[in-house]
Amino acid sequence: MKYNLLYLMDPLCAWCHTFSPKVERLMAESPYDLELEILPWGMFPSPRIVDENFGQWLEREVRKIQEQSDVIFGDSYYELLKTGHLVLDSSIPSRAILSVQYLWPQRTLEFVCEIERAFFIRGENPNDETFYLNIVSYLGLPKQIFLDDFQSERVVETQTESFKQSKLISKDFPTLFFRNSERLVALGDKFSNFDKLRSECEKQIRLTE
């Protein structure tokens, strides 16, 4: 029997970078047949330039997150915040995620984690199309098939709907939900450790059986 999970996240969210590996571990280690849907939230629904003041604020906040979570954020990421030319726009990486989810759903979470590593560790610019093509190539997926969908009207409409639906579900993210026949049940958020995620997931499975 398949059990459905919903991951509400944003690819430009520093807390999501700390949370996605826990979701990835849950999917890999669970003895149950888990199926995951990713719903991008749209933290930056329109482009925002990271000027000096915003960049300094972001650096302070992310360093706090790094201290609380012990997850690595690379020096190259912190340097990227200081360049003055970084633009944060959630729609671009969200479209990439939704394209992969449409084309190769089993690889979506892996793709998300690679986006987060490329941005938050290696400091690569997520507005560059090459950013995604490099990840697609690294994962061994056909680049042209991805590109055709990534540039399509279909995925733009899907991304717009994702931003609408995610905000109706929750104002807080990252959050992992268990989807039963009646409702969504939150399994954990950015402060949840892996053991809590696993135990809450198993609890909901027992209630379903």
Side-chain angles (χ1 to χ4, degrees), residues 21 44 86 92 110 127-128 130 132 137 144-145 148 166 175 178 186 191:
F44 297 98
L86 175 64
I92 301 172
E110 185 181 7
N127 299 312
D128 186 350
T130 305
Y132 304 101
S137 180
Q144 192 58 52
I145 292 175
D148 288 345
S166 60
T175 308
F178 185 92
F191 298 115

Side-chain angles (χ1 to χ4, degrees), residues 90-139:
S90 295
S91 65
I92 301 172
S94 296
R95 279 196 292 120
I97 290 167
L98 292 167
S99 281
V100 170
Q101 185 158 254
Y102 176 72
L103 296 166
W104 308 286
Q106 298 303 318
R107 307 297 297 277
T108 314
L109 182 58
E110 185 181 7
F111 184 72
V112 165
C113 291
E114 289 300 330
I115 287 177
E116 292 169 344
R117 282 189 279 267
F119 180 50
F120 289 110
I121 297 178
R122 299 195 296 275
E124 298 174 11
N125 192 330
N127 299 312
D128 186 350
E129 197 171 83
T130 305
F131 176 100
Y132 304 101
L133 292 177
N134 288 340
I135 296 174
V136 166
S137 180
Y138 172 74
L139 296 179

